[in-house]
């Protein structure tokens, strides 16, 4: 299973058409517009969640693959979208502040969601991937809620970060960035992660394409 994970920033049909050329089996797309705003090619399906038509969290997959939204999916978690595809749990992630959770910072939103879904994260071969909106040293992190506590929680369940496993780099000491704030090369951050409790056959950060996004795509294969 080939998976592309990519925050595409201000979704357009042209961007969708370019991204689909990666020919992945599954696409995890934070900031993608809803299905009435963008169309996926024939032979693909799309599931989407969000509060605004122009920007939400989407997952696109090849329609020939067996896929279902689990009954335990809780849409109150903004935005985490679980889909069971070919008996693997794909958890698309983009923790986002909404009117319901506005007092919470991103690490708290992410960790509380993962904690609720923990029984299912243990049950299935799983990939958790997307824009986590979290980095080491960000404002608002606490001893209880930070990217470090997220890593610790997931590692305790047997998950590894694909990037950190491949490079051997430590959290917060990444040599690559996955996000350039306001498209500024001098303002790099590492916000995009892929975790799994099964082995990755391959994993790579793509080159930054300024014409598509302020984020960098992740390409992986199970």
């Amino acid at each position: 299973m080939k998976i592309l994970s990519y925050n595409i920033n201000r979704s357009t049909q042209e961007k969708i058409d370019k991204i689909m050329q990666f020919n992945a089996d599954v696409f995890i797309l934070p900031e993608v517009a809803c299905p009435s705003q963008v169309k996926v090619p024939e032979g693909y399906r799309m599931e989407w969640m969000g509060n605004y038509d122009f920007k939400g969290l989407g997952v696109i997959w090849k329609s020939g693959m067996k896929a279902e939204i689990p009954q335990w999916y809780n849409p109150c978690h903004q935005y985490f979208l679980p889909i069971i595809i070919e008996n693997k749990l794909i958890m698309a992630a983009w923790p986002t502040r909404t009117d319901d959770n506005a007092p919470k910072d991103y690490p708290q939103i992410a960790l509380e969601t993962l904690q609720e879904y923990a029984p299912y994260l243990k049950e299935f071969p799983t990939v958790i991937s997307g824009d986590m909106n979290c980095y080491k040293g960000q404002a608002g992190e606490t001893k209880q809620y930070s990217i470090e506590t997220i890593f610790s929680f997931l590692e305790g369940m047997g998950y590894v970060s694909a990037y950190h496993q491949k490079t051997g780099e430590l959290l917060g000491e990444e040599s690559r960035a996955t996000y350039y704030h306001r498209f500024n090369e001098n303002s790099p951050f590492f916000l995009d992660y892929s975790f799994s409790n099964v082995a990755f056959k391959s994993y790579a950060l793509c080159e930054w394409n300024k014409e598509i996004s302020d984020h960098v795509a992740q390409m992986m294969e199970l």
Side-chain angles (χ1 to χ4, degrees):
M1 181 185 293
K2 293 183 178 179
I3 303 171
L4 179 78
S5 182
Y6 199 5
N7 181 322
I8 61 174
N9 181 266
R10 299 184 181 274
S11 175
T12 65
Q13 186 63 52
E14 182 181 6
K15 287 185 181 183
I16 294 296
D17 294 341
K18 287 182 178 179
I19 290 166
M20 298 303 294
Q21 294 176 13
F22 280 92
N23 194 34
D25 299 303
V26 179
F27 297 80
I28 296 171
L29 303 177
E31 295 202 31
V32 70
C34 72
S36 67
Q37 302 293 314
V38 294
K39 304 298 181 184
V40 300
E42 184 177 352
Y44 287 87
R45 294 177 57 193
M46 180 178 183
E47 188 69 30
W48 183 91
M49 69 178 303
N51 295 320
Y52 306 99
D53 288 350
F54 66 91
K55 185 167 71 171
L57 175 62
V59 177
I60 299 171
W61 67 92
K62 290 182 177 178
S63 55
M65 303 174 74
K66 180 183 177 182
E68 64 175 340
I69 306 297
Q71 293 183 346
W72 44 263
Y73 163 51
N74 183 354
C76 292
H77 289 302
Q78 304 285 323
Y79 296 143
F80 281 78
L81 180 56
I83 303 179
I84 300 172
I85 302 177
E86 296 294 329
N87 299 315
K88 294 181 176 64
L89 174 58
I90 306 299
M91 179 71 75
W94 183 38
T96 302
R97 291 194 186 99
T98 67
D99 291 340
D100 293 332
N101 63 14
K104 299 180 181 180
D105 288 305
Y106 298 122
Q108 182 176 357
I109 295 169
L111 185 56
E112 288 181 347
T113 302
L114 294 172
Q115 287 172 334
E116 178 171 321
Y117 284 142
Y120 311 105
L121 301 180
K122 294 176 182 178
E123 178 181 350
F124 290 93
T126 301
V127 173
I128 304 166
S129 183
D131 172 9
M132 295 292 286
N133 272 323
C134 297
Y135 61 94
K136 189 173 179 179
Q138 73 185 115
E141 67 177 13
T142 66
K143 290 183 178 180
Q144 185 176 4
Y145 300 112
S146 68
I147 187 60
E148 290 178 287
T149 61
I150 292 170
F151 262 65
S152 178
F153 173 75
L154 289 173
E155 287 173 352
M157 293 197 299
Y159 282 76
V160 297
S161 163
Y163 174 88
H164 297 86
Q165 183 185 53
K166 178 180 178 180
T167 63
E169 296 172 0
L170 299 178
L171 177 64
E173 298 181 8
E174 297 86 2
S175 60
R176 293 281 308 274
T178 69
Y179 170 67
Y180 295 90
H181 186 55
R182 297 180 179 175
F183 290 87
N184 183 351
E185 293 182 9
N186 297 316
S187 187
F189 294 87
F190 199 101
L191 301 180
D192 302 77
Y193 304 83
S194 292
F195 302 94
S196 185
N197 58 359
V198 294
F200 287 100
K201 183 177 180 180
S202 64
Y203 173 88
L205 284 182
C206 300
E207 295 301 315
W208 181 29
N209 187 340
K210 296 181 183 180
E211 295 181 0
I212 294 181
S213 180
D214 46 2
H215 285 256
V216 174
Q218 303 175 82
M219 177 65 81
M220 66 207 81
E221 185 174 2
L222 297 180

